[in-house]
């Protein structure tokens, strides 16, 4: 039984890291938050939640405690609303399960989530650079980005095009695929861009667990292909309002 629980926790760790990084806007802060939360969870006798949901709960609890050094919120959403948005859209947790994770009654959680989504629709727009080598996928992402109220200033299919367009347009947000095929590498393109122009970055990949190992410098914001419009809206909102740290 202990071995099974350990295996379940190991499988849950990448998703806890994604949630914590998106919540804090930082890989190092998010990963530290997960490590601290895991220690608290293992010391607790409460095992009513599954390992994955339990990790979400302890990450949320520790975030709310303010023990870790975390960035302050600078916009109209409160911490519970941010948590509910990230849990339900980014982590695909049903609201019935997300409510106890954020320690709210179901009706209150549903009302908070509805208000957060409404505020999300009214959030400020920014200029977005899309890095994606598949033309059809790039068109779909472009449509979704514009549907979120943002402006697309360029679509790059190669690493070289991405660097050139970023220098020319100075985007407020970069949405990048990891694998650009023969056109290079999305993470390399972003690294080159950030040497000369800072912007929040969201990576899009079909294999998020490969970017959430905690073993190296990794992105703070990762969304999984295929994704829903709301997921993209929340990720862009969180990245722009909360900042991102790739260091």
């Amino acid at each position: 039984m202990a071995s099974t629980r350990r295996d379940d926790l190991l499988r849950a760790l990448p998703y806890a890291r994604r949630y914590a990084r998106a919540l804090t806007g930082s890989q190092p802060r998010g990963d530290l938050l997960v490590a601290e939360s895991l220690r608290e969870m293992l010391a607790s006798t409460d095992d009513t939640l599954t390992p994955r949901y339990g990790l979400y709960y302890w990450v949320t609890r520790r975030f709310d405690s303010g023990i870790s050094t975390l960035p302050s919120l600078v916009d109209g959403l409160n911490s519970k609303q941010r948590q509910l948005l990230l849990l339900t859209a980014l982590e695909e947790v049903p609201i019935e399960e997300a409510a106890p994770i954020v320690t709210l009654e179901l009706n209150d959680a549903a009302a908070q989530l509805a208000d957060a989504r409404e505020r999300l629709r009214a959030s400020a727009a920014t200029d977005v650079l899309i890095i994606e080598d598949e033309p059809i996928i790039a068109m779909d992402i472009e449509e979704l980005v514009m549907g979120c109220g943002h402006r697309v200033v360029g679509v790059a299919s190669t690493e070289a095009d991405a660097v050139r367009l970023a220098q020319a347009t100075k985007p407020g947000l970069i949405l990048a695929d990891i694998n650009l095929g023969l056109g290079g590498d999305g993470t390399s393109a972003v690294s080159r861009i950030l040497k000369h122009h800072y912007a929040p970055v969201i990576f899009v990949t079909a294999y998020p667990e490969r970017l959430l190992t905690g073993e190296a410098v990794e992105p703070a914001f990762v969304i999984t292909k295929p994704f829903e419009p709301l997921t993209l809206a929340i990720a862009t909102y969180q990245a722009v309002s909360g900042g991102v740290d790739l260091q």
Side-chain angles (χ1 to χ4, degrees):
M1 184 65 69
S3 176
T4 299
R5 180 170 173 77
R6 177 181 178 277
D7 291 343
D8 289 343
L9 279 171
L10 289 174
R11 283 192 290 268
L13 277 174
Y15 303 100
R17 290 190 186 104
R18 177 170 61 182
Y19 172 57
R21 291 177 190 181
L23 195 59
T24 63
S26 162
Q27 179 201 348
R29 286 192 294 264
D31 289 357
L32 177 61
L33 182 59
V34 170
E36 294 170 340
S37 302
L38 180 60
R39 282 194 291 270
E40 288 188 344
M41 179 179 174
L42 292 174
S44 171
T45 58
D46 183 3
D47 59 356
T48 56
L49 297 173
T50 66
R52 182 169 173 178
Y53 287 0
L55 271 174
Y56 291 147
Y57 168 79
W58 285 99
V59 165
T60 302
R61 175 187 169 110
R62 190 165 184 87
F63 178 89
D64 286 341
S65 74
I67 295 175
S68 298
T69 302
L70 299 170
S72 60
L73 302 183
V74 294
D75 55 79
L77 293 184
N78 62 47
S79 62
K80 295 297 183 186
Q81 290 174 325
R82 282 177 175 250
Q83 291 158 6
L84 285 167
L85 283 170
L86 292 172
L87 285 168
T88 57
L90 188 67
E91 301 303 321
E92 300 180 340
V93 178
I95 184 62
E96 294 81 6
E97 304 291 346
I101 289 173
V102 302
T103 62
L104 289 176
E105 295 294 331
L106 179 57
N107 289 343
D108 189 14
Q112 291 271 16
L113 182 59
D115 181 62
R117 287 176 173 173
E118 190 62 34
R119 290 175 182 270
L120 194 66
R121 296 187 186 98
S123 63
T126 191
D127 294 332
V128 180
L129 170 63
I130 297 171
I131 306 174
E132 169 61 62
D133 66 316
E134 295 288 346
I136 295 178
I137 296 177
M139 290 173 62
D140 287 342
I141 294 176
E142 186 173 6
E143 184 176 348
L144 288 175
V145 167
M146 292 189 294
C148 293
H150 302 298
R151 299 171 294 272
V152 176
V153 295
V155 178
S157 60
T158 68
E159 183 177 330
D161 284 345
V163 174
R164 177 182 57 79
L165 281 170
Q167 291 175 342
T169 63
K170 308 297 183 187
L173 175 69
I174 300 171
L175 189 62
D177 191 5
I178 302 297
N179 185 1
L180 300 179
L182 297 178
D185 180 87
T187 55
S188 176
V190 166
S191 295
R192 291 172 61 188
I193 291 169
L194 294 183
K195 289 180 180 179
H196 305 285
H197 172 70
Y198 172 78
V201 181
I202 298 172
F203 282 102
V204 182
T205 176
Y207 306 99
E209 63 277 5
R210 296 180 183 177
L211 290 173
L212 298 164
T213 65
E215 296 174 354
V217 176
E218 297 170 335
F221 294 94
V222 180
I223 59 177
T224 306
K225 289 181 178 179
F227 52 84
E228 297 295 326
L230 181 61
T231 304
L232 179 62
I234 292 169
T236 55
Y237 176 85
Q238 185 75 355
V240 172
S241 64
V244 62
D245 182 2
L246 292 179
Q247 303 301 318

